[in-house]
Amino acid sequence: MDFVAARKVMVDSQVRVNDVTDRGLQAALLTVPRERFCAPDRAWSAYGEVEVPIAGDRRLMQAREVAKLLQALDARPGERALALAAPYAAAVLAALGVSVTAQEADFAVLDVVGEALQDLRVATVVAPLAEPAGQDWDMIVSEGAVAVRPTAWLDALRVGGRLAVVERSGPNGRAVLYVRGREGVSRRELFDAAPAILAEMTPAPAFVL
């Protein structure tokens, strides 16, 4: 399979036509080998309009949704980003000149994506996703949905920092952008999306007598 040609078709037919107008982001998407971020036996489906298995219950978010999240973040070279369960987004941010740390909770996922992240100059850390590594991030992004307010993620942002994530309840979800200000956090809805909810970002089960 000609992955370079497939990557161009993806950007032309899935990204540009979905209001992703940032030319720098488009160029970065053309350089990142998406096929290296999914299960090896599913590399052929990396550029389709589907979520592709990585390992276990983790899936690669659709490219157009990743692109729209990253465009909302308005990444600038030299900024620091934390990618929580977002290895492909991490690689694209690195291609934009951002200093990126990819945080995963599952070694099985890193077994699939770790070599690609290393090759693309992305640092990795293994830790529970509900507990972001470090503080004062310029950006945080996740390719998995959350079903609870990501308070710890918001607390890890510096003033002016941004968080792009999908909030999901039941079958429906909305991508949102949070921005931390000096006096609080603002929230703006972006677009419909429904990736799988991260297991660590679900409500605690209610106690029933």
Side-chain angles (χ1 to χ4, degrees), residues 107-143:
F107 281 103
V109 174
L110 275 183
D111 284 343
V112 175
V113 305
E115 184 176 350
L117 290 173
Q118 182 178 5
D119 290 346
L120 296 167
R121 303 180 306 281
V122 176
T124 58
V125 62
V126 178
L129 297 173
E131 303 169 11
Q135 293 288 317
D136 296 323
W137 296 100
D138 296 298
M139 289 170 287
I140 296 177
V141 63
S142 178
E143 291 180 41

Side-chain angles (χ1 to χ4, degrees), residues 117-193:
L117 290 173
Q118 182 178 5
D119 290 346
L120 296 167
R121 303 180 306 281
V122 176
T124 58
V125 62
V126 178
L129 297 173
E131 303 169 11
Q135 293 288 317
D136 296 323
W137 296 100
D138 296 298
M139 289 170 287
I140 296 177
V141 63
S142 178
E143 291 180 41
V146 299
V148 294
R149 182 177 171 86
T151 302
W153 297 5
L154 295 169
D155 289 344
L157 293 171
R158 67 166 181 81
V159 173
R162 295 90 70 198
L163 164 66
V165 66
V166 175
E167 296 179 336
R168 184 170 170 182
S169 177
N172 302 313
R174 289 285 287 173
V176 298
L177 178 71
Y178 287 96
V179 180
R180 171 165 290 285
R182 294 190 180 280
E183 298 182 1
V185 176
S186 65
R187 176 184 179 277
R188 175 165 63 91
E189 295 190 359
L190 301 172
F191 57 91
D192 292 332

Side-chain angles (χ1 to χ4, degrees), residues 32 61 66 77:
V32 174
M61 193 182 214
V66 174

